[in-house]
Amino acid sequence: MSDATQSLSLDRAPADFAPAEAMLFLVLQGDELQAPSLRIRLGGLTSLAIGRGEAQETREDGASLRLSLPDAKVSTTHCALVPSAEGLRLEDKSSKNGSFVNGREVKSALLADGDVIELGRTFLVYRQRCSARTGEPRVVRASSDAAALGLTSLVPALAVELQKLRDVSRSSVPVIVHGETGTGKELIAAGVHAHSGRSGPFVAVNCGSLQPDLLAAELFGHKKGAFSGAVEERPGLVRAADRGTLFLDEIADLPPAGQSALLRVLQEGEVLPLGSTKPIKVDVRIVAATHRDLEQLVAKELFRADLLARLQGFTLRLPPLRERLTDLGLLVAGILRRRLPDQFQRVRLGNLATRALLASAWPLNVRELEKALLAAVALSKDGSVELFALPSSVREPPAPRDQLGKSPDLEEKLRALLLKHQGNVTAVAAELGKDRVQIRRWMKKLGMDAQAFRDDPEPT
């Protein structure tokens, strides 16, 4: 499996990445959703001062850095992040509206991995150990144009893969996007089409919804009278995407007959409508998506190996939303620009609503986020989305089943698993069937440090 198909997370670094260090992510500004998101490498800094400025900018002075925010609720000198013997500490500088960590106002607080920092209407996330590509600048801003198309990320490893995808978008290379249901695979496909410069349309097809007896006619069209009920000629979905992009969602669900016919399209660049003897040339760029392992399906002879070989031009593994919450601002902006282009400029997120969005585990991924946002905007007549407008599943998520105190052997079990997986929190979470955030919460309460369980200094 190629590097691009591996699960991408902040805890796993490709070979060409620098050693892990602390990072700060500016996720979003609730009253200005168009404001750029950014990430800052904190390694080597003696302090990071944060305060109000006329524009979002950073200014480095030796080992010190200042982040200016165009947020009216932020004080001129609001707070500072300062390394200490215990770790990175946030110090409030007598700000007018206070500094908050995980929704609680603090004067001074030792930051833990994943903590959400709230300053005025601006939300930031602290990550204790992240890796970025070697030679990357200290401050990286996400492109607002790409954000609208879903092809950008602040997650370093994912950002690299999405840049590669943008680079191949203008070619005819087919693309496969792997990911859990609802991770935004169609957003990626639409972004590829928008970057491609192709003059034809973007046509999305759910392969699982194609009826086997009508599959050929739906995909490749038919001549008038080709079968009972064919009262007129139809071009079919493939020809409808001529000179454009054909998005085949859940490609693994395509029946065998459809797989064979699609292979002909990819090999010959032509379709044969039902009832016709003359093939028709087509120029179609294919983007396929699936939540299943196609290579395993090939091994079980449930998917054609020759078709997979034709589809594997570029492969992307899209992480679930819970693993890329630092991209929440980019995703919110992209969804609203795409789905509510006429209203996007006036949409605002209240602080309590933003806290809830960042606290949710999003089990149904980007699809759940999209539905929650669209419903909330519809309920917010003036465009200001407050907590009450969010679905109850987001507004009042089930309390985590914290087993501390209920399971006396949890500490022993957690320690054993951390040793087994050499401090890999993601692997421990998978074995316990828990969210990674919950594992880190337990570790923090028990005073455990993942690094202490590793044989080497690099993150795993």
Side-chain angles (χ1 to χ4, degrees):
M1 189 176 288
S2 68
D3 288 344
T5 64
Q6 299 293 329
S7 178
L8 300 166
S9 80
L10 291 167
D11 292 334
R12 188 179 298 276
D16 61 341
F17 273 40
E21 60 183 303
M23 290 190 188
L24 184 69
F25 294 78
L26 195 166
V27 178
L28 63 82
Q29 184 177 326
D31 59 356
E32 189 58 64
L33 296 178
Q34 298 181 82
S37 297
L38 59 80
R39 70 172 182 263
I40 302 173
R41 294 190 295 106
L42 300 177
L45 290 179
T46 56
S47 70
L48 168 61
I50 305 176
R52 188 176 69 250
E54 293 184 2
Q56 186 193 96
E57 61 182 9
T58 55
R59 186 173 69 253
E60 197 164 357
D61 182 11
S64 298
L65 185 72
R66 176 180 168 84
L67 170 62
S68 296
L69 303 171
D71 183 337
K73 299 291 185 180
V74 169
S75 298
T76 303
T77 302
H78 198 103
C79 71
L81 304 186
V82 183
S84 68
E86 302 96 334
L88 193 68
R89 184 170 288 278
L90 182 147
E91 301 285 353
D92 183 80
K93 299 298 183 181
S94 301
S95 63
K96 181 179 179 180
N97 294 308
S99 300
F100 295 77
V101 175
N102 300 327
R104 296 180 179 179
E105 186 172 5
V106 299
K107 296 301 181 184
S108 177
L110 186 66
L111 295 178
D113 184 57
D115 279 351
V116 176
I117 301 168
E118 180 182 336
L119 311 174
R121 303 298 300 276
T122 303
F123 285 76
L124 309 100
V125 172
Y126 170 68
R127 294 305 310 266
Q128 196 168 30
R129 290 180 59 81
C130 302
S131 293
R133 208 167 195 175
T134 302
E136 187 174 87
R138 182 176 293 281
V139 180
V140 173
R141 280 183 171 79
S143 167
S144 58
D145 291 338
L149 302 172
L151 291 187
T152 193
S153 174
L154 285 176
V155 179
L158 180 58
V160 170
E161 296 305 318
L162 290 176
Q163 179 58 59
K164 293 178 184 177
L165 184 55
R166 290 198 294 274
D167 292 342
V168 303
S169 288
R170 287 191 169 272
S171 71
S172 59
V173 171
V175 173
I176 298 180
V177 184
H178 288 267
E180 292 180 8
T181 299
T183 47
K185 298 186 287 292
E186 186 169 346
L187 277 174
I188 294 292
V192 170
H193 176 68
H195 274 80
S196 71
R198 297 179 69 85
S199 60
F202 175 78
V203 177
V205 181
N206 186 335
C207 294
S209 68
L210 294 172
Q211 300 179 38
D213 55 337
L214 296 176
L215 185 144
E218 289 189 57
L219 282 178
F220 311 115
H222 59 78
K223 301 289 286 184
K224 181 180 179 180
F227 55 88
S228 177
V231 296
E232 61 181 357
E233 182 174 342
R234 294 283 181 87
L237 295 167
V238 175
R239 284 170 62 194
D242 189 35
R243 300 184 182 277
T245 301
L246 182 66
F247 173 54
L248 298 173
D249 196 13
E250 297 304 342
I251 184 73
D253 294 337
L254 191 64
Q259 294 181 29
S260 300
L262 180 61
L263 183 62
R264 176 191 179 104
V265 175
L266 294 173
Q267 288 178 330
E268 309 297 335
E270 60 184 30
V271 298
L272 184 65
L274 201 62
S276 176
T277 59
K278 183 179 180 181
I280 299 174
K281 287 290 184 181
V282 290
D283 174 15
V284 173
R285 191 330 168 36
I286 301 290
V287 179
T290 182
H291 71 280
R292 302 168 68 184
D293 190 322
L294 294 178
E295 292 180 358
Q296 284 187 7
L297 294 178
V298 167
K300 295 177 181 178
E301 299 185 350
L302 297 175
F303 197 84
R304 293 185 63 121
D306 49 0
L307 177 57
L308 179 58
R310 287 282 181 176
L311 291 171
Q312 279 183 322
F314 182 89
T315 302
L316 174 74
R317 169 71 172 94
L318 193 58
L321 179 53
R322 62 183 174 273
E323 292 184 12
R324 52 181 302 208
L325 283 176
T326 50
D327 283 341
L328 187 74
L330 297 173
L331 293 168
V332 167
I335 289 168
L336 294 177
R337 278 195 183 100
R338 179 170 174 260
R339 296 300 303 274
L340 301 173
D342 297 332
Q343 300 180 55
F344 172 63
Q345 299 279 357
R346 67 184 186 88
V347 175
R348 304 288 183 267
L349 292 178
N351 282 30
L352 293 180
T354 305
R355 288 180 193 175
L357 294 177
L358 283 166
S360 177
W362 300 110
L364 302 181
N365 292 301
V366 177
R367 183 175 299 158
E368 182 182 7
L369 173 63
E370 179 172 320
K371 290 183 180 300
L373 284 173
L374 296 181
V377 172
L379 291 170
S380 306
K381 302 303 181 183
D382 62 351
S384 180
V385 175
E386 302 298 340
L387 183 63
F388 79 90
L390 294 173
S392 59
S393 59
V394 178
R395 188 175 66 246
E396 302 169 359
R401 290 182 294 173
D402 193 337
Q403 298 176 20
L404 288 174
K406 297 181 181 180
S407 179
D409 63 344
L410 178 63
E411 180 175 359
E412 182 178 344
K413 184 176 183 179
L414 188 57
R415 190 177 298 278
L417 287 175
L418 285 165
L419 284 169
K420 173 183 175 181
H421 295 291
Q422 296 193 33
N424 188 323
V425 176
T426 301
V428 173
E431 184 157 338
L432 286 175
K434 297 289 183 182
D435 190 271
R436 191 176 57 180
V437 174
Q438 179 64 60
I439 302 302
R440 292 195 180 280
R441 186 182 294 118
W442 286 339
M443 290 172 62
K444 183 177 180 180
K445 289 185 177 180
L446 293 167
M448 295 182 181
D449 181 0
Q451 186 63 31
F453 296 89
R454 294 172 180 155
D455 293 334
D456 56 34
E458 298 299 318
T460 57

